[in-house]
Amino acid sequence: MKLPLGTLEPMPGAATHCPYCALQCGMDLRGDGDLVHVAPRATGDNPPGLCQKGWTAAELLTSNERLTTPTIDGEPTTWERALAHITQRIQQIQHQHGPDAVAILGGGGLTNEKAYALGKFARVVLGTKNIDYNGRFCMSSAAAAGIKAFGLDRGLPFPMADIASAEAILLVGSNVAETMPPFVHHLSTMQSNGGALIVVDPRRTPTAKRATLHLQLTPGTDLALAQGLLHLAIVEGYVDRDYIGARTEGFAEVHPIAMAYWPERVERITGVPVSQQRKAIRILHDAGNALVLTARGAEQHAKGVDTVSAFVNLALALGLPGTEGNRYGCLTGQGNGQGGREHGQKADQLPGYRKLDDPKAREHVAKVWGVDPADLPMPGVSAYELLDALGQPNGPRALLVFGTNPVVSAPRAKHVEERLKSLDLLVVADLVQSETAAIADVVLPTAQWAEEEGTTTNLEGRVIRRRRLRPPPPKVRTDLEILAGLAESLGKGDKISADPRRTFEELGRASAGGIADYAGISYERLDRDGGVFWPCPTKDHPGTPRMFHDGFATPNGRARFVPVEYRPAVEDVDSTYPVYLTTGRVLAHYQSGAQTRRIPSLRRAAPDPFVELHPQLAGRHGIEDGDEVRVVSRRGEATAPARITDTIRTDTAFMPFHWSGAGRANTLTNPALDPTSKMPEFKVCAVRLEKVAP
Amino acid sequence: MSVVIVGYGMAGARFAAELRQRDPRRTITVFGAEPTRSYNRILLSDVLAGKLSEDDVPLAEPEGPLDLRVGVEVVDLDPAERTIRSDDGRTTRYDTLVFATGSLPMVPPVAGLTRPNATLIDGAATFRTLDDCRKIVATAATAKNAIVLGGGLLGLEAARGLAMRGLNVEVLHPRRQLMERQLNAEASQLLVVTLANLGVSVRPNGVAAEVQGTERVEGILLEDGTELPADLLVIACGVRPQTAVAERAGLEVGRGIVVDDRMRTSDPHIYAIGDCSEHRGVSYGFVAPAWEQAKVAAEVICGGTSRYLGSRQVARLKANGVDLATLGDPHLDDERAEVVTFTDVARGTYQKVVIRDQRLVGAILLGDNPTVGTVTQIFDRDLPVPNDPRSLLFGGSGDAAPATSSPNATLCNCNGVTTGAIVRAWVGGARTTADVVAATRASTGCGTCRDVVESFVAELADEAATEEVVA
């Protein structure tokens, strides 16, 4: 076996994109001796801009915290031994317990090529049904609701720059000023053109502070608010009957449900005053050109799909989606959250956003893969269900983890950590010793973004190129090389290519005719055009920046209203756990923080976890700013210093989830799952607060 | 097991939906005295105001087998045989019976209001059902002067609706102040002013002595001798629980049909929910308690252990342009009660909160009030009130924008650049905005702070120039 192992060669320069969030800001990298300089770069119609995370991204390339050699049980070893060990253990476990005993967990930060290869590796090389990815914890609710309403899910069905032309935006559950800061450019352009911004969030975040109107609702009640706004739209005669008649179906079923959410009832559920509800709907109506955007705050609930459906219903009733300048969209979170959910690392999915249980899809993809469709496994379970089943009777005995850190990012994380430890084999491929890598049997050091070629698909559905500045260090491999190596040692060396370009070409063929059709996209074309919006079925197809103008992707071309009802949080507050906990992000860190916590300037900017409390709530517990607070839920406890601010509701505590250890917010979160998307209820659970005696 | 519901209003329909959710296959038999499918009574004031049409008010009907008998009234109950008889002559057996008969509007004994057969004369209507609403709307189409008897929630909502249709509207309220159970004199007075600005005049101590006109309403003679012309008379003088069938069958009835915490009447096979019931001495007249009761009854009937422990009373006036919420008992004023009030006559705002043992026991919030949602939730959840109760009236402490002179003020959010960092860059030799940006990365994210950074650098330049002059 010969793999294209790199050596550290001098670096010219590379036009690539930031490794972090779904904004995928354009970035120029330039080598200078041992240093890598970063500069912002305009991409398409998006102006140059980088936040703190982007500017400092290259520091991790030379960090002494990155992994440089494979390890088995913590002992450095060679790649040959590591791969042989994994191969032998996989064969043994599958021989004893069947193919499904080996599972894979992927990530929404992986390139399209890796996400595709991972799905193929699971189904063709391992023959396991057990593969899913952390996108379950990110985009799954919005994706499911988008498919229900529009027939397909592309986060933003229009270029991001269009946002600036909106006259009003309803931004639900998104704190872009901290999670994807350069995005604020579009909001602020919209506002300086006279547009109004309405932000729905339990916290007065930096984003909410920019808003014309901030609806500071009770965590877990977004769905009721959406119903209430639809109710008011009907009462005030703001509903676009012509649009509903011409372009949608199902309004008749949604209408009586909305009528049961009169504003006074909604006020009692959400805490949003009637007057503010009225103001919000008036702003949306008066704007000739309104836009509804949802994000994790609305989606990370056990009713996340229904909540998004309710906001889509509102947008449809106002006549927005698929019209010129009037739209609905959802803001994707992870770097390749969009592409990562299209090409087969999801339990029920095949490349091109195809369904694994669709015979035609199986036939098409099996042909590209050169296998018998009957040999492809059927859908497996979702990410949390998979993690929960690890090491249990009939559950997987081995797990390979790529591009995710569930010990920090999964709900009920203490339990998940125990499940991971119970495995016969845990393999983690990562660039740093993440908390999950720290408990793995085998750790494989992987290349970083600037050391590999590939593509990602940003939040607009624009496929863009990631380019290599320099090869990875000598004993570090790319994820594709790892998968190709394992495929070879497992006797299926012809199935997985270590070459990103070849992999992308194959992805194009596999996705051809699917919803997310990449068949007409090539590296050459991306290099020439700077990016192509999917679907792009043929080489001469221009790509699709704006969707749904001529009809939705449903069988009859009409968007569907989906009847949904409000239901309370799975775990509501009570006398034992009287405070809501909601979780989120801080500007300096990305996801589980595995990367950003290892960058000194980001660590300085946000060194530790904290518990954000309103002065009233803190006062009742005798807690002062900086005091250690123990936060206790039914699943465990976390401690972190109090940060007292009146920007949060008086009944709610907030914790960022980027940290592990005592301050791990996800120790507390509720793994109750959405019935459709299997999204855990990250955004609300019931806790009690205790001041830790000094 | 057969479940029969008597009444298909807000409570009965909700109960059917709750039961269906727990038991998708069971046939549910429902009797509705009104000739329509269930509708949302709450919305009738919007229909009356002309904002909604009849098509907007139906409630979503539960899927699955439903034996729906609308326009059929249950007239007799035989608890021993477990049968009911309806006015279509049929007898229906039940295993479990649920009363959700709601309440009936009270018609005051005013001379000339009714015909000998006890029906209202033309031009007069109660305001309870969709049919009432149709009558009012039809009369309003040609009427000029409307009088509403009763200044409670419903009367004021009706009055506001009629005013929106362009009628002259006067509310006759028999007492000195409006909504005397929920408001005090001060709030009532402000509400009268607010309503006047919306085209609704209120006549306190306005007691009707006689309705003028023989076949139809022509005017009202008040007890004080005043005569008012009127071609539409809306009666909103309160309601009483509809309990007749239950009472005749020997069930325990107080003001309403008496139920325990399981919503069970004195007969273990019979339940009562909504306006017709009386729980722990209280007959609620609101939707929220009725829906809570419907849920508990459905759970109990399906074998659950759920219990109803009473509801917190929140009254919210649904009338365009009037924001009024009253919670609990705002009249409590014993020595344990702490009362905080605020009045702003110019803005039509009145706020009163009553606190006892750190809990909110009552409140009146009239006028534009940003805290109404928070206060309602604190009341609903029985949460301790803040140490400084003024925040209940005015919201949390203000969040002043950070002063740029503070070394910790963040100028650039995207890159976490503080004013201190910019000063350091200046001291380090950066003299232009471009230099400062290069040194600090300020404004290189979303770019929104570019102007602020520029002016801050200009300030630094000015200060430096001044210092040089001084030096």
Side-chain angles (χ1 to χ4, degrees), chain A residues 49-52 55 177 181 185 204 218 236 255 259 264-265 267-269 271 587 616 620 646 649 651, chain B residues 40 51 55-56 58 291 312 316 318 373 377 380-381 384 386 391 397 399 413-415 441 444-446 448:
Chain A
L50 290 175
C51 75
Q52 236 174 330
W55 276 111
H185 167 81
R204 195 161 78 249
T218 311
E236 298 303 323
H255 177 234
M259 294 324 292
E264 293 78 10
R265 179 183 176 214
E267 173 182 277
R268 219 167 155 183
I269 297 170
L587 192 146
Q616 287 178 21
R620 281 216 297 279
D646 68 358
R649 288 175 57 92
D651 58 3
Chain B
N40 189 337
K51 304 202 95 176
D55 298 341
D56 291 316
W291 284 6
R312 307 219 125 211
R316 202 77 172 73
K318 262 181 62 69
Q377 289 188 329
D380 266 343
R381 297 191 211 135
S391 69
S397 59
D399 185 47
N413 185 52
C414 297
N415 281 287
R441 295 173 186 154
T444 61
C446 69
T448 311

Side-chain angles (χ1 to χ4, degrees), chain B residues 174-225:
Chain B
R175 303 208 176 78
R176 202 165 53 79
Q177 74 183 53
L178 291 172
M179 296 172 59
E180 57 277 353
R181 272 201 306 158
Q182 289 109 345
L183 299 185
N184 55 15
E186 213 171 348
S188 167
Q189 205 158 4
L190 259 182
L191 180 57
V192 168
V193 173
T194 305
L195 287 166
N197 291 334
L198 296 167
V200 174
S201 61
V202 176
R203 183 178 291 262
N205 299 317
V207 181
E210 189 186 316
V211 176
Q212 297 166 327
T214 47
E215 270 310 299
R216 58 169 304 114
V217 175
E218 287 167 15
I220 299 270
L221 173 67
L222 302 187
E223 273 187 355
D224 65 7

